[in-house]
Amino acid sequence: MKRSLGAKTLLYPAPVLVVGTYNPAGKPNVMTASWGGICSSQPPCVSVALRQATYTYENIIKRKAFTPGIASEDQVKQVDYFGLVSGRSVDKFAATKLTPVKSQVVDAPYVKEFPLVLECKLLDMSDLGLHTQFIGEVIDVKADDTIIGSGGAVDIKKLRPLVFTPDTQDYYGIGSFVGKVFSAGKDI
Amino acid sequence: MKRSLGAKTLLYPAPVLVVGTYNPAGKPNVMTASWGGICSSQPPCVSVALRQATYTYENIIKRKAFTPGIASEDQVKQVDYFGLVSGRSVDKFAATKLTPVKSQVVDAPYVKEFPLVLECKLLDMSDLGLHTQFIGEVIDVKADDTIIGSGGAVDIKKLRPLVFTPDTQDYYGIGSFVGKVFSAGKDI
């Protein structure tokens, strides 16, 4: 028998996205967001949903680009800080001593020290209520060599991305390999 | 120095959503999808993106409801099977011996044996290319008592959701607690 928990967004796991943007004057900013995910394979698209009150919301509308990046577990302090303060009042790169890198393919910066970043051009947006969903077309992905496995693909155990838990608001890491997709269920 | 991986949807972690629907005749179906996430807090909304060729795509359009559910690691065989075959040719509930339960709040079924389910009413949809994104308003969440922690919230270590890895196409589990959100970065 299941119990009712009410109308809540209890989807697990949620990602921890570090979203890089420029303001109209070209100042780099970055904020942390967990409302987002993949939404199309061709064209490759991802979504990030933000409150209108955020600095990043304004920046995306004005510059038409953003870079969802993925940090590793070891960088949790910086990631959390990026969600605690606003770029309106603080230079988050200076405060964390991290380095903004200008994307060569979209009009947005990303964090040099974080291992993976998706460089996105704004494709569409829709107001859903408290949050506005931005859909970005992935123009390129940049990755550190340290997260690439022997087969040439991103290895999640090398990347060690953070997981956000909506109900308790914690960060978790990634656990063990469980099975292969399109294979584990073949002998049902 | 980062390397370019091309235009790919390499967002980590991706969820493993088991999406329940009814066909026009009222037959329950379920499919596995990893393109999705949370997209608004108020109203509470989640997105799931599906190819137009899927049976679930038709069902959502006709019944205006769907239920993204979360299985635990132990149920990986059934979850993977739900992504391997089409409900057009197979009764997936009969094949896996799992039990469809009719939602009391939306026009869709969910899997009784899976620990968590979001009961969603179709709010919006948009064609993005290969995938169409469905946005569902969460009307209620149903959870097994076994995944509720001592504080009354969903405990991810009891839920043990699967993680999908886009590049290598594997299932992983959840690891250890890393830090508290809005706290870990306070002493930057």
Side-chain angles (χ1 to χ4, degrees), chain B residues 28-63:
Chain B
N29 186 51
V30 67
M31 81 166 280
T32 303
S34 282
W35 287 186
I38 299 166
C39 52
S40 172
S41 295
Q42 197 52 250
C45 292
V46 296
S47 69
V48 175
L50 304 175
R51 288 175 297 111
Q52 295 188 16
T54 61
Y55 193 48
T56 299
Y57 173 93
E58 287 176 36
N59 290 353
I60 294 177
I61 288 178
K62 285 173 182 158
R63 309 287 292 225

Side-chain angles (χ1 to χ4, degrees), chain B residues 75-97:
Chain B
Q75 295 159 325
V76 65
K77 280 177 77 159
Q78 289 93 334
V79 168
D80 192 62
Y81 177 79
F82 289 158
L84 276 170
V85 295
S86 171
R88 282 195 192 88
S89 49
V90 179
D91 181 332
K92 300 190 197 181
F93 282 100
T96 54
K97 300 186 175 63

